[in-house]
Amino acid sequence: VCSADCKEHSRTQSLPAETIVGHSSTKRIVVRMTTKVFLQLLVYASVFALFTMPQAMGEQECYGEKETFMQKCNLSIKLGSGYIHPTDSCCRTAQKVDMACVCRIITSEEEREIDLHYVFWVSQDCHNPVPAGKKCGSWTIPGSGVPPPPHHYMQQ
């Protein structure tokens, strides 16, 4: 049996303990909520990365392909030289690369040195044509009306 002082002492002694427990549970709730929010953000960031990474990686790979294509096919795509039928080496390269991507990333600076129609003709002659409606540098490949490569090729 506890006296009035004992009851008062028990009540005041248990108050800080309850407060600490309450504070501790609040901390646990905050930690759980923070963890939950963090995990949600992590999931959203992962999903975003999955959708954007293949495109970015594809374009990085395509820049290397473009450089290889432009080196191997330089004689056929050079501006002002007249169209020259692509060499076997050029065609092997044009068949291996993503020609639609290569065409799409041709810059305006590169257009000063290469003929976009020649690039398109090389893609056709090498059996890896850029589809109609796709960009080739600043030029959009039309659905029809693109003249075929010249019939009088200059053989190398």
Side-chain angles (χ1 to χ4, degrees), residues 79-142:
L79 186 66
S81 65
Y83 182 70
I84 299 173
H85 192 271
T87 63
D88 289 341
S89 174
C90 172
C91 272
R92 279 193 302 275
T93 301
Q95 289 169 353
K96 289 179 185 176
V97 301
D98 180 349
M99 284 303 300
C101 181
V102 167
C103 249
R104 183 179 66 246
I105 63 170
I106 292 174
T107 66
S108 58
E109 292 82 24
E110 291 165 333
E111 286 185 41
R112 291 183 222 148
E113 299 188 19
I114 63 172
D115 189 309
L116 299 176
H117 289 90
Y118 295 177
V119 173
F120 175 71
W121 288 341
V122 166
S123 78
Q124 285 186 317
D125 282 344
C126 296
H127 309 290
N128 189 8
V130 179
K134 298 290 183 179
K135 295 290 278 184
C136 194
S138 60
W139 178 51
T140 302
I141 312 278

Side-chain angles (χ1 to χ4, degrees), residues 6-154:
C6 177
K7 287 181 184 176
E8 181 63 30
H9 179 58
S10 295
R11 190 177 68 75
T12 58
Q13 288 298 328
S14 65
L15 185 62
E18 287 174 45
T19 304
I20 291 170
V21 170
H23 182 66
S24 180
S25 354
T26 304
K27 275 186 177 178
R28 275 188 247 141
I29 291 170
V30 169
V31 169
R32 283 186 196 147
M33 288 178 65
T34 303
T35 303
K36 183 179 177 181
V37 169
F38 175 75
L39 289 175
Q40 286 176 337
L41 289 173
L42 186 62
V43 168
Y44 292 136
S46 298
V47 170
F48 178 76
L50 287 173
F51 283 113
T52 58
M53 193 169 52
Q55 170 117 10
M57 287 177 65
E59 286 188 5
Q60 285 176 352
E61 290 173 19
C62 180
Y63 280 105
E65 290 181 352
K66 180 182 78 168
E67 293 304 316
T68 303
F69 170 78
M70 290 179 70
Q71 287 174 347
K72 297 286 185 177
C73 299
N74 185 43
L75 292 174
S76 296
I77 63 174
K78 191 173 184 176
L79 186 66
S81 65
Y83 182 70
I84 299 173
H85 192 271
T87 63
D88 289 341
S89 174
C90 172
C91 272
R92 279 193 302 275
T93 301
Q95 289 169 353
K96 289 179 185 176
V97 301
D98 180 349
M99 284 303 300
C101 181
V102 167
C103 249
R104 183 179 66 246
I105 63 170
I106 292 174
T107 66
S108 58
E109 292 82 24
E110 291 165 333
E111 286 185 41
R112 291 183 222 148
E113 299 188 19
I114 63 172
D115 189 309
L116 299 176
H117 289 90
Y118 295 177
V119 173
F120 175 71
W121 288 341
V122 166
S123 78
Q124 285 186 317
D125 282 344
C126 296
H127 309 290
N128 189 8
V130 179
K134 298 290 183 179
K135 295 290 278 184
C136 194
S138 60
W139 178 51
T140 302
I141 312 278
S144 61
V146 178
H151 290 79
H152 303 286
Y153 297 125
M154 296 172 65

